[in-house]
Amino acid sequence: MNLLPTEPPACTREAGSLCYQVFQVTKNEWLSASAGWLLTKPLRILMIIAVAFLLRYLVRRLINRVTRMPSGSSKLPALLRPLREKAPEVLGSAVMERRRQRAATIGSVLKSMATFLIYGLAFILVLGELGIDLAPIIASAGIVGVALGFGAQNLVKDFLSGMFMMIEDQYGVGDVVDVGEASGTVEAVGLRITTLRDINGTVWYVRNGEVLRVGNSSQGFAVAVVDVPLSYSADVEKATELMAEKAKTLLESEGLAPNVLEPPEMLGVETVTPESIKLRLTVKVRPGKQWAVQRALRAHLLAALDEAGFEPPLGRFMSSGPAAQ
């Protein structure tokens, strides 16, 4: 009994079809019947892959174009122009570096998202060309996604918090911040973790999702606050005038002038305690420079008051007794 087919497939009689053309050339029934699978589908799959690569390349170039900041330029990248920025132009090179780092981070996230979406869509289209039923795969992926979502909810929380932190420009590299459990200078900002180094040199890794509030001492401007104690016998009005004059002279010096944004403001008596009277002076300075200005002012003002004959608090106790003779 002959089990081999005696008639060619029906597609070989359809003039103009790929099956018909292959049969006319090869006279091979299997090859002509499989022409669509062997030629058409691979070409479609290759076309899908090629389009995916090209589309990814174009999207990444577009993202680079809107996030790139030319070297030496203070102009905002196109992506950051609609976003709120809290760092003033007066900060100069620090702002430029902050803008560059912020744009690079947001651009990196956008590139990763674009790659995932484009390649994911191309993968689904390739499976469709291979004749694989996508419904069970999509259903399984949904179940796995829900399970992973519950297991990685902290990771997603950190990622979203980091993304909003970048968009809102809450802090950047070089800022001095207080995030509750840790405080210090920001060394690196990521979408999941922020790295801080405190005054003792300890490095802290803080998850963005765990940051409930942030105190930024380096944003916009800072205020140097100096409290100087006086004894009760001191002439407060004379001491106030002397401090205002000495502070103005000191802040106009070459060492401190670049850090000062406004003239010093003498506020007068701040507190009265059983031990002393405290006079307060404030100066608006560049962010992050308040501590250096405070130390310089405190040292020079105390020395100026001592030279002018003002007695320090509790001086009557320190000058009495055998040790003072």
Side-chain angles (χ1 to χ4, degrees):
M1 182 176 180
N2 188 9
L3 299 178
L4 296 176
T6 57
E7 294 184 2
C11 63
T12 59
R13 296 188 294 272
E14 297 175 0
S17 67
L18 180 61
C19 176
Y20 174 82
Q21 296 175 2
V22 172
F23 184 76
Q24 294 298 319
V25 174
T26 63
K27 303 301 181 181
N28 187 302
E29 298 175 3
W30 179 86
L31 186 61
S32 59
S34 304
W37 172 263
L38 295 176
L39 296 177
T40 306
K41 288 187 179 296
L43 288 176
R44 289 180 179 175
I45 291 173
L46 289 176
M47 185 175 295
I48 291 173
I49 295 174
V51 170
F53 273 105
L54 178 61
L55 183 60
R56 176 180 176 271
Y57 172 76
L58 294 176
V59 170
R60 288 175 68 90
R61 285 204 59 179
L62 178 62
I63 293 174
N64 286 335
R65 186 171 183 177
V66 299
T67 58
R68 183 175 299 158
M69 188 172 177
S71 179
S73 173
S74 60
K75 187 178 180 181
L76 273 174
L79 182 66
L80 297 185
R81 290 173 194 166
L83 302 180
R84 182 182 179 186
E85 185 177 37
K86 299 178 181 178
E89 292 287 346
V90 72
L91 300 184
S93 59
V95 174
M96 293 171 58
E97 183 60 30
R98 183 183 185 128
R99 289 172 177 171
R100 188 174 290 108
Q101 186 264 347
R102 185 183 178 201
T105 303
I106 296 177
S108 176
V109 174
L110 293 178
K111 290 177 186 177
S112 299
M113 293 176 61
T115 299
F116 176 78
L117 292 175
I118 293 172
Y119 283 171
L121 181 58
F123 179 71
I124 292 175
L125 293 176
V126 168
L127 292 181
E129 287 295 328
L130 294 176
I132 299 175
D133 188 6
L134 299 178
I137 297 177
I138 295 175
S140 301
I143 296 173
V144 173
V146 171
L148 290 177
F150 279 110
Q153 54 183 333
N154 288 333
L155 182 62
V156 175
K157 181 180 178 182
D158 294 340
F159 178 86
L160 293 177
S161 298
M163 191 65 187
F164 280 111
M165 178 271 296
M166 281 288 177
I167 293 176
E168 295 171 0
D169 194 24
Q170 296 177 12
Y171 55 82
V173 174
D175 285 352
V176 179
V177 299
D178 181 351
V179 294
E181 293 293 332
S183 61
T185 304
V186 179
E187 290 195 340
V189 179
L191 289 173
R192 194 178 72 86
I193 284 181
T194 295
T195 305
L196 306 177
R197 187 179 295 273
D198 65 18
I199 193 171
N200 297 318
T202 303
V203 177
W204 296 84
Y205 298 95
V206 183
R207 286 175 44 202
N208 294 329
E210 296 296 321
V211 178
L212 301 180
R213 52 98 174 150
V214 179
N216 194 332
S217 301
S218 308
Q219 204 165 69
F221 65 88
V223 177
V225 180
V226 179
D227 289 333
V228 178
L230 294 175
S231 66
Y232 274 98
S233 60
D235 186 338
V236 175
E237 184 176 353
K238 182 179 178 181
T240 301
E241 294 176 357
L242 177 63
M243 287 176 58
E245 180 182 351
K246 291 294 183 181
K248 183 178 180 181
T249 303
L250 176 63
L251 295 176
E252 290 176 351
S253 64
E254 294 182 2
L256 295 179
N259 299 327
V260 179
L261 300 179
E262 293 183 3
E265 184 177 0
M266 191 67 206
L267 301 182
V269 177
E270 176 63 22
T271 59
V272 178
T273 66
E275 294 81 17
S276 65
I277 300 173
K278 287 187 178 179
L279 302 183
R280 173 163 291 183
L281 179 143
T282 61
V283 187
K284 183 180 287 189
V285 297
R286 291 178 180 272
K289 301 298 182 181
Q290 61 268 40
W291 298 288
V293 173
Q294 284 174 182
R295 288 191 291 268
L297 282 173
R298 194 175 293 114
H300 284 77
L301 292 179
L302 288 175
L305 290 173
D306 185 60
E307 291 178 1
F310 285 90
E311 187 178 351
L314 303 180
R316 58 184 180 276
F317 299 109
M318 298 174 61
S319 62
S320 62
Q325 296 178 356

